Amino acid sequence: MFCSKCGANLGEGVKFCPNCGAPVGPVSATPAPADAPGAAAPAPTTVHPKRRAPFVIIAVAAVAVIAIAAFAVTHLLGGNPKEAAGANGMGNSVTNIAVGDGQAVSAGGMDYFFDRNGLECAKVNDPGSVKQICSTSSDTYVGMLNYADGRLFYVSYDEDAGEYRIESVKIDGSDEETLYSFDRDDKYRFPYLYIADGRIYVVCNAYQHRTDSLHIVSMATDGSDVRNELDLDMPCYDVAFSGGRIYYSADEADDGTGTGSVYSMNIDGSDTKRIFSSDGGSVGDITVVGDRVLVAAHDHSGGHGSDSTSSYYVASMNTDGSDAKKITDVSDDEIDIVGANNDTVYLSDGDSFFAVPAAGGDETDLGLPDSFQYGAYLIGADDHIIVSNGSLFNGLANHVGSMKGDDGSSYVEYFSES
């Protein structure tokens, strides 16, 4: 049975609704929604305060318990409980990993980042609080930094051993351990490391025009329960992983002159769909911002050679490929996606950095310091962004900072090495 006043499910023999306190009378087995066409309004009922009071008290008490619990989680774990639990929130997002090479992450009111001193941390926008978590060898490649449940996770590459390693360390620098390792074997690009639903996902894609392969392994955050999620021989270049789906680019011609496209599929390889085509060009960066997929594309439909014409742009679309639009003016200079925060994407044309709404809109010049003139990644961190000029290709950063605004005026520097 259902309550004629609020539609709540009622048990047998109940005289008053436990949800709204209304007396139980004749009810419909399947109540119509209040806004359904032709649905009759429920008959007015009189509820006596003395009969309703116990239910009101119970409801108020339940809300109070929930509020106290939420307060405790937020303050004891630090910051947003979604971040503290290592969920798919800011600082643990596809943007951080797919675009910025995972050089920084933010969680629980702290920013964590790689620089020339190793793995360090600072309270948000507090340069005086910087301290080292652990050292990192200058000849070891590190990146894909992520966070879950009081631990930091990242990928390292030992060139002497020719081995990729999934590393983990507590946020206080203790209990360093290697959770998983595998041979590079000249096959895979530096692996992406995502954390979703309490599991680590290691996504390996091949170098362009070498080996066509996409390989995904997942494991618990303690390194146990290792599973091979996907192993496909297929062209797969830039990759992003969000909401249980893989977004990847592929060139449809072996010589790299074909149409660059972006595809989407489930993590098990099923339900593959093409969601974007660059129409005679190629595709670079891919990232997911909220419910939008962002793609940096190159149009060389004017041909190849000294007399050819090329243009660059960034396209934005829904995750199914609908509502596709260019959100930048077509440019003669290459445009890179260098980060995102909430519903904003950050772009660079090589000379300047600017912000654009992910769904399209006016551009805002970020006014970053000159130290980032030749390259930076902007890592989305909810109410601020971490700025780093470190990457897998340029090595550990020699400038790292944070800013809360979009005009550069709030920038503070965590680390600088001339």
Side-chain angles (χ1 to χ4, degrees):
M1 294 193 303
F2 298 90
C3 175
S4 60
K5 182 174 178 61
C6 69
N9 193 7
L10 305 174
E12 294 295 332
V14 174
K15 295 182 179 180
F16 296 93
C17 174
N19 184 53
C20 68
V24 175
V27 294
S28 169
T30 309
D35 58 351
T45 58
T46 302
V47 179
H48 299 286
K50 288 184 180 179
R51 291 179 177 174
R52 189 173 182 178
F55 303 103
V56 174
I57 292 172
I58 292 172
V60 171
V63 171
V65 169
I66 293 171
I68 292 171
F71 178 88
V73 169
T74 302
H75 288 76
L76 293 178
L77 293 180
N80 188 325
K82 186 177 183 182
E83 288 180 355
N88 290 326
M90 280 301 186
N92 191 22
S93 67
V94 62
T95 301
N96 173 40
I97 302 301
V99 174
D101 288 333
Q103 293 291 314
V105 69
S106 184
M110 300 290 292
D111 288 340
Y112 303 90
F113 49 90
F114 290 111
D115 61 31
R116 298 301 174 94
N117 288 333
L119 179 55
E120 301 204 284
C121 69
K123 292 180 181 177
V124 173
N125 274 45
D126 182 1
S129 66
V130 175
K131 64 179 181 180
Q132 187 185 73
I133 296 174
C134 59
S135 61
T136 303
S137 173
S138 60
D139 59 357
T140 299
Y141 294 95
V142 289
M144 310 304 169
L145 184 62
N146 225 313
Y147 169 90
D149 302 326
R151 296 189 71 91
L152 296 165
F153 301 84
Y154 61 95
V155 183
S156 69
Y157 172 60
D158 186 324
E159 192 167 15
D160 291 336
E163 185 176 71
Y164 289 125
R165 297 170 182 166
I166 309 303
E167 311 278 7
S168 173
V169 62
K170 287 184 178 179
I171 56 175
D172 63 3
S174 65
D175 194 26
E176 291 184 68
E177 57 180 330
T178 298
L179 302 180
Y180 183 77
S181 63
F182 58 97
D183 293 338
R184 176 174 177 264
D185 194 26
D186 289 327
K187 184 175 183 180
Y188 296 119
R189 181 188 181 275
F190 201 90
Y192 300 89
L193 186 155
Y194 301 98
I195 298 179
D197 301 323
R199 291 185 66 81
I200 297 170
Y201 290 84
V202 182
V203 181
C204 305
N205 63 307
Y207 286 99
Q208 291 193 16
H209 312 303
R210 287 195 183 180
T211 304
D212 293 337
S213 182
L214 176 63
H215 183 57
I216 302 176
V217 173
S218 75
M219 67 198 74
T221 52
D222 63 359
S224 64
D225 190 25
V226 177
R227 305 174 189 170
N228 284 320
E229 301 282 357
L230 183 68
D231 194 2
L232 293 178
D233 286 330
M234 56 180 288
C236 177
Y237 306 144
D238 292 276
V239 178
F241 173 43
S242 180
R245 288 187 70 84
I246 297 290
Y247 300 86
Y248 65 94
S249 63
D251 198 325
E252 295 168 0
D254 292 337
D255 60 0
T257 61
T259 299
S261 296
V262 176
Y263 296 84
S264 167
M265 68 181 175
N266 291 328
I267 195 170
D268 63 0
S270 63
D271 191 30
T272 301
K273 302 174 181 178
R274 185 167 72 174
I275 64 170
F276 175 78
S277 173
S278 65
D279 295 329
S282 57
V283 171
D285 304 319
I286 304 172
T287 193
V288 183
V289 182
D291 59 357
R292 306 287 294 184
V293 178
L294 282 299
V295 177
H298 174 203
D299 181 1
H300 46 67
S301 56
H304 298 266
S306 58
D307 296 329
S308 65
T309 58
S310 296
S311 60
Y312 301 85
Y313 61 94
V314 174
S316 172
M317 67 209 73
N318 292 326
T319 53
D320 63 357
S322 62
D323 189 33
K325 64 182 77 172
K326 294 179 180 179
I327 64 170
T328 60
D329 293 331
V330 175
S331 170
D332 293 335
D333 297 319
E334 187 169 355
I335 298 177
D336 297 317
I337 302 173
V338 294
N341 194 28
N342 297 322
D343 295 325
T344 301
V345 61
Y346 300 109
L347 309 175
S348 173
D349 60 6
D351 297 318
S352 62
F353 297 87
F354 50 97
V356 183
D362 294 335
E363 298 178 1
T364 301
D365 193 308
L366 294 179
L368 288 177
D370 290 342
S371 56
F372 297 105
Q373 181 177 356
Y374 299 105
Y377 289 103
L378 286 76
I379 310 304
D382 198 14
D383 65 343
H384 68 291
I385 53 178
I386 308 169
V387 189
S388 169
N389 66 355
S391 73
L392 298 175
F393 307 104
N394 298 329
L396 297 171
N398 52 26
H399 293 283
V400 182
S402 170
M403 55 188 278
K404 290 198 171 187
D406 285 341
D407 60 2
S409 61
S410 64
Y411 175 81
V412 296
E413 196 152 69
Y414 292 148
F415 177 84
S416 176
E417 180 181 271
S418 58

